[in-house]
């Protein structure tokens, strides 16, 4: 027997808007990280605890900028963190590893031992895509974990963020094509969901807004987007824009608006860490390469030649180095070039965006937003609900949304 | 005796707007290049003639983009070119030199021999800042050249573009502080004007809209801006944004909107050509370095550390190579960097903008715009009439202006 | 019936040394290019003709340096050029294409029309690996072409240079394992030779010294090296070192001798042109990637992590851009990096080396050298007859060889 | 009354060679750092103590390579360190600062507290160039410090290394032109010596071999080199080659031996730290820029165009980023380029060389070497006693010296 899909948002009292002049939201906020022991999630957790304890500056937090912070967002330090992971390595150990490789300051793990242990106690075992148990049961367990977290901490809303290892693209199957087909398949004992989508399913069923931070399928198959619609829940994604693509979508409009013809754009990425190891598999990298490629064609208005590689360089750890070479043509056909080298710390770039998105999604949920929040495209390589890839234009959309939210209005 | 400063625009009939649905301007347009035998001017001339003759693509011409081209602009091929220069090297020779160094296609100079000779016949000897003749007389001669050009070719308007070698910054003198003081000084037989400002003075007196394409003083001392105001003439400037600064103002907003703290931004420029030779003098480079530095602080909201050098590398010819190194800080203080290398052909980047600005200024003049046209800041390192340096935001301002012009409205 | 393999060099009179004080070799020299209509071969041909006609400087010609030029080498302009190609595009057309893309000066093709036509008349149709004709017959035809060229032009020696498109690595088959096995297979009507090795076989049979300029198998399978030994012929190879690998073998010793630990070395190559198109096939690129990888491990003394890509970027034409990122570790484990971008014109880098190797191989042949000339490793990514990859050490070996040759001695 | 200049080396028993088969030197070795509290000196001290205690790998130590280590060198851990500095900041504090900025591992300062304190107790107050005291007296005090150190620790020899802040170039004065003139000036109560040369004078007088690790004048004025000769003492210098120049002298021979014409070579250096602050003064940078420029012309055989800047970027700390752009010409005049970015930790690159030079100079002293040891040019931008700048050739000279020393012979 299938669990009935509720037609109404399960948290009726939540969508109350803070009155004008009082944009700070009522209520307590939870963040639930799928992949909570990964580099990005751990950095976000360390950062949230550190900022809450006044142990660091808010550099890198978009929601701290004046154009955004007025939108009635929950405080960074007020977020209660929990999550799933298939790994059991303690958060303190992960934090120490990140400190050793320079991702977080050396002194923080020790200073936050207790706070990290408290989060650790809230983490639940994750589920693997290949588990034998039918997904109906697995999903119920995940959903129960989420509900228990919300209840136990008396949270007004819980934002779920997918921070697991990147999965291959999802096959297009009938079961993923609409919510009813999905329910029928699950009822039939089938397990049609990619891992990330299983979590998304459970999150939506639990009434939680969702952030697809990775390029994995997650909420994007029609069965899940349809479910979000039915549940009246907002979501945002996919694949956070933190490095080479970020630079790309800042630079490409230069060529477009100066009428310079991009002839080829080569993109090479070197990265280590867990993410690098996962992407060393061509299958998993496929998702990433697809989302990375999307922006350029959209901004330039034509397909663009040029290789795009993601290579695993274990010795670089969380540090990513990307080199892009752009060959372009100007007046009367003259050939010119621009090249850039980006040397960024991936987890440190991603972590504050995780917290930003938790705060923004909580506010979106509060204002009653439903479906993909296109105005959050600023954060993503493959922005759901928007065709806009130009970074500056996305910034305008984001700040406009925030201005409306500050004024007490919905998205 | 001083020539009276007319209080009214001298071309009363010109400011007629083309009606809606008929944005193509009535009238014939002239472009008058100060420094007409220089690399940029020659490339613009070759390009204009080539495009007029259907001998090349319009790559690099901003005014050919759909968001701009509907603004009722004169055709590129319809522009009649004349100018001043202190050099007497024939345009065909300059064109051949540019072809030899790859700035314009090898076959063009031969294909355009006659057309280039026709322009050559319209060029007049320029004036040197150190000439002994009092500037009152020199200015009258320059003004007469401009009037003669307009009359002879029955032009409805002539846009003057300063394309001479960069001059040092202008001293702040009383004579440059307002139009009346300037007139008094000229009457007294003094010669208070920097070379570029002498041309600007004559251009305004002749009723011509003006583009300050270089970082030289030109129209920017208050005596000249005041004169433009009195004459009801529009102008735009200063210092075309074609290379490293262009990239800078596309990239800097990335850091600002992602809340990343720029710690230092080092900028190194290598260039040859006549421009490189001029800028090898520290005095002349001072103007350029000042205008180049302006954008960053404005965009990031704080002063930014880091060297800025312009070095002369004769072997590079018209090819500029710039390397920028940006050191920045992210979440919890992590240090990261971005570096880029720009290898551009300066004259090929500048020339289409010269033609763009001629077309846009002609339209601005036609719509009756007065004073600095801030909406043209997209083209400049030091945008007059605007505080906006972010390339994408400047693009929005430019397209908004064009939309208004397309609708038949003023700027 | 098998053609008998001659046990003696077929040109007994050739190995006469010029006496001391008279190192200029007696005799006329021919160069036979396999792939004579390719970019490298055409550039070498244009260059040889241009230098012979006094139409250019000898930049890039190693054999013009004082340490080399005294070795009794034939003059560049004295080389008679012929060759094979499967393409029929006239050399003048290829020369014009190269001029259009800036590989050779724009004025040269016209200035050399007659001289190029003369070479064109000496080119013979090449053979394709997939031809149905048994290789015994094909080889005989190729050999006959070579002998005819030598006879017709009364050449004292002909150096054959493989300049065809890169082939995949050769399978290890019994027929390629020794000269006798090869003869038996050919007698049996089999066609066991890769295309490049078929040419090598014919060249050796014709008594010609050989240069394996590409990474293709050519003379390197044991059946062919054995044949060279029996014929008493010298050869050199493989895969000319012209770009990224050149820089690599100049830089890697820095790390080795400063005791800096290279942690990863990433190598990315972007190139267009015919060579780029060929290498876009993973199969063909395999040869190149293998030879490119060889030097680093040898110099550093341990395997080195890091991706190596060769990507086809048609818009770059003959221009190759390579980016290398070297991550290394110093005192007490500190991590540092070096990165470089090489922007070279591949054919212009390769062509003078082709002429250098023709001159040096002619001299090696004259002095009676047999087998791989390890002292020519300076020119190659995969130096035959030598384990030395360090560029500076290879230079010492080359100049020592030349000093011996100058003194009238053998190699 | 002048102190008599001894004509004989003051340590007659020291120049005993270890017998063959027993190259490990008898005797105890001291290292005396002028500028002992600076970044380089502190890193060298921390490193020496750490390696002595088995707390780190010997990466970056040239003297640990097999080609060098057999030369009969003292052990790294056996070196007793002392020194002068005008700063009084405790070594442990300096070590912690270096750890905080990632120059030495975070855990080392704590692990070495006692050992660092022991070195600290051996440091003596330095002298400032502007001190009022006549240099005769100051020099005597410095000399006494050195003798006391040697006596107290029963050292067989003490190598003095100049690691102070870079001074401006020395004026050519009569007093600096020969040893006798210098003695007369000092007798006359004059103070003709630059600070670094005052230390060099005292060191030589104390019978100590000397390393000029900086570009400061130190031992190089003729009065001092003459004194070294009279004292029979070896010395080495100047200005350790650790970054951009290191890469330059590895790369430049590529162009020379491939007959490629370097058209311009631009060199930009960004660095922070104490060294960066000092070099921000144009006067002090003059020394550095002179020594940096030397190698290129020597290797390429002609003067080379192109800017060379050293810029202070405080935010980079001990991390130096250098960008070089090399424009060169190949066959038939084709223009190409190579650029590289070096991101190195200056003190971590320099420190192991300090220890290397202490070990090598101790051995040179033991073998009775006198005057500049040209074979140590491998370590220097401005190699004294040698005209060789090519890194690979310097390596050959160094290893040849070591082979002789291993065989028990002198330099
Ligand atoms: N760092 C960035 O800048 C950035 C940007 C965009 C997207 N991403 C994406 O974020 C994700 C996380 O990156 P990371 O660097 O933290 O990777 P990571 O490998 O360090 O962490 C992934 C975590 O997910 C866990 N996990 C894997 N499968 C799981 C499952 N089925 N259930 C629960 N947990 C599971 C792993 O155990 C691990 O702890 C990746 O997909 C990455 O592509 C990162
Ligand atoms: N190329 C670019 O990308 C770019 C961008 C922004 C600004 N600019 C500016 O444009 C200007 C022109 O650049 P260019 O590369 O053509 O330089 P150029 O040296 O080739 O040309 C300058 C021309 O001005 C002429 N000239 C000098 N003084 C004169 C005078 N008093 N009267 C009349 N003519 C005079 C010279 O004879 C020369 O023909 C420079 O000031 C440059 O800084 C160029
Ligand atoms: N340019 C460099 O710097 C460089 C360096 C090392 C090696 N190489 C090698 O040199 C070779 C030539 O390079 P290119 O840029 O001139 O390539 P290209 O594609 O322009 O030329 C190859 C030529 O070989 C001909 N060819 C192909 N198969 C043949 C056959 N079976 N018989 C006769 N001719 C045949 C083609 O028709 C073509 O004319 C390539 O293998 C390349 O990898 C080049
Ligand atoms: N780091 C490298 O890679 C490298 C390479 C070549 C040369 N050098 C040279 O080595 C020197 C040291 O560099 P650093 O980074 O350690 O600089 P630093 O500024 O950290 O240290 C210099 C030290 O010298 C001391 N000092 C200054 N004047 C003195 C005096 N008169 N007597 C005694 N002590 C004095 C200072 O107090 C300071 O402790 C510099 O001259 C630098 O140019 C460094
Ligand atoms: Na402005
Ligand atoms: Na020297």
């Amino acid at each position: 027997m299938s669990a009935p899909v509720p037609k109404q948002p399960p948290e009726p009292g939540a969508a109350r808007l803070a009155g004008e002049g009082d944009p700070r939201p009522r209520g307590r906020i939870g963040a639930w990280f799928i992949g909570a022991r990964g580099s990005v999630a751990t950095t976000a957790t360390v950062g949230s605890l550190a900022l809450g304890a006044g142990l660091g500056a808010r550099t890198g937090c978009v929601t701290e900028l004046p154009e955004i912070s007025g939108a009635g967002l929950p405080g960074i330090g007020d977020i209660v963190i929990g999550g799933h992971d298939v790994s059991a390595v303690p958060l303190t150990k992960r934090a120490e590893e990140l400190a050793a490789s320079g991702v977080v300051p050396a002194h923080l793990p020790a200073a936050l031992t207790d706070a990290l242990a408290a989060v650790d106690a809230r983490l639940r075992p994750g589920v693997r895509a290949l588990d034998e148990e039918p997904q109906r049961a697995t999903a119920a367990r995940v959903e129960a974990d989420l509900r228990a977290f919300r209840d136990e901490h008396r949270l007004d809303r819980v934002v779920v963020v997918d921070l697991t290892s990147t999965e291959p693209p999802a096959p297009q199957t009938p079961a993923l094509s609409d919510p009813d087909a999905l329910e029928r398949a699950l009822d039939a004992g089938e397990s049609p969901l990619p891992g990330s989508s299983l979590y998304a399913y459970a999150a939506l069923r639990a009434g939680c807004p969702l952030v697809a931070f990775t390029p994995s399928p997650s909420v994007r198959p029609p069965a899940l987007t349809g479910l979000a619609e039915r549940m009246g829940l907002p979501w945002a994604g996919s694949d956070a824009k933190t490095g080479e693509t970020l630079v790309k979508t800042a630079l490409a409009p230069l060529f477009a608006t100066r009428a310079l013809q991009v002839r080829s754009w080569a993109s090479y990425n070197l990265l280590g860490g867990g993410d690098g190891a996962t992407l060393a598999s061509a299958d998993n990298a496929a998702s990433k390469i697809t989302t990375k490629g999307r922006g350029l064609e959209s901004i330039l208005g034509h397909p663009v030649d040029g290789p795009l590689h993601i290579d695993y360089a274990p010795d670089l750890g969380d540090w990513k180095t990307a080199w892009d070479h752009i060959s372009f043509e100007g007046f009367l056909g003259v050939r010119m070039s621009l090249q850039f080298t980006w040397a960024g710390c991936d987890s440190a770039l991603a972590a504050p965006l995780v917290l930003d998105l938790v705060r923004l999604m909580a506010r979106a949920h509060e204002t009653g937003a439903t479906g993909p929040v296109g105005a959050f495209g600023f954060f993503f390589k493959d922005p759901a609900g928007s065709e806009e890839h130009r970074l500056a234009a996305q910034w305008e959309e984001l700040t406009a949304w925030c201005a409306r939210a500050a004024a007490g209005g919905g998205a």
Side-chain angles (χ1 to χ4, degrees), chain A residues 235-383:
Chain A
W235 58 273
S238 304
D239 201 9
K241 181 157 83 169
T242 52
E244 189 232 19
T245 311
L246 178 66
V247 180
K248 234 174 195 164
T249 57
L251 275 179
L254 181 163
F255 299 101
T257 60
R258 280 296 175 95
L260 299 165
Q261 177 74 13
V262 171
R263 295 170 52 86
S264 66
W265 192 310
S267 307
Y268 296 115
N269 294 269
L270 283 165
L271 76 166
D275 196 19
T278 304
L279 296 174
S281 140
D283 263 11
N284 296 341
S287 298
K288 191 65 125 192
I289 285 177
T290 308
T291 60
K292 281 176 85 74
R294 235 155 239 172
L296 215 48
E297 178 165 350
S298 150
I299 295 175
L300 297 174
H302 59 85
V304 181
D305 240 33
L308 193 165
H309 293 288
I310 303 180
D311 288 308
Y312 181 45
D315 75 292
L316 296 183
D318 263 288
W319 291 83
K320 167 149 81 191
T321 300
W323 180 72
D324 276 35
H325 182 272
I326 305 132
S327 153
F328 64 98
E329 191 172 307
F331 201 46
L332 303 173
V334 170
R335 309 277 174 84
M336 302 177 260
S337 72
L338 174 64
Q339 55 184 284
F340 67 83
T341 303
W342 169 264
C345 178
D346 254 14
S347 298
L349 288 160
L353 306 187
V354 170
L355 302 176
D356 287 333
L357 282 160
V358 168
R359 299 172 84 184
L360 288 163
M361 283 306 291
R363 181 68 178 140
H365 188 224
E366 192 183 22
T367 64
T370 294
V373 186
F376 297 172
F378 178 70
F379 296 96
F380 297 109
K381 293 195 193 78
D382 182 19

Side-chain angles (χ1 to χ4, degrees), chain A residues 150-250:
Chain A
R150 188 168 53 207
D151 293 349
E152 182 180 344
H153 298 280
R154 294 184 318 276
L155 302 169
D156 291 283
R157 64 198 87 251
V158 171
V159 180
V160 173
V161 189
D162 175 20
L163 296 169
T164 57
S165 317
T166 295
E167 297 170 357
Q172 299 252 14
T173 63
L176 294 179
S177 66
D178 78 275
D180 296 324
L182 174 58
E183 293 299 334
R184 281 193 301 273
L186 290 172
D187 284 349
E190 293 170 21
S191 292
L193 292 161
S196 58
S197 298
L198 177 68
Y199 284 109
Y201 176 78
L204 294 171
R205 297 277 303 219
C208 298
L210 196 77
V211 177
F213 203 82
T214 82
S216 303
S218 184
V219 64
R220 307 215 52 174
L224 283 301
T225 56
L227 178 58
E229 211 65 47
R230 288 194 193 168
M231 300 289 294
L233 285 168
W235 58 273
S238 304
D239 201 9
K241 181 157 83 169
T242 52
E244 189 232 19
T245 311
L246 178 66
V247 180
K248 234 174 195 164
T249 57

Side-chain angles (χ1 to χ4, degrees), chain A residues 37-97:
Chain A
R37 302 185 190 283
S39 298
V40 173
T42 305
T43 307
T45 301
V46 166
S48 169
L49 299 175
L51 297 185
L55 293 174
R58 304 190 167 212
T59 319
C61 295
V62 172
T63 43
E64 295 292 313
L65 293 172
E67 295 90 338
I68 313 291
S69 62
L73 309 178
I76 285 190
D78 302 340
I79 300 167
V80 181
I81 295 174
H84 284 114
D85 203 303
V86 294
S87 153
V89 180
L91 275 185
T92 41
K93 181 145 193 310
R94 292 294 289 117
E96 275 154 21
E97 287 166 11

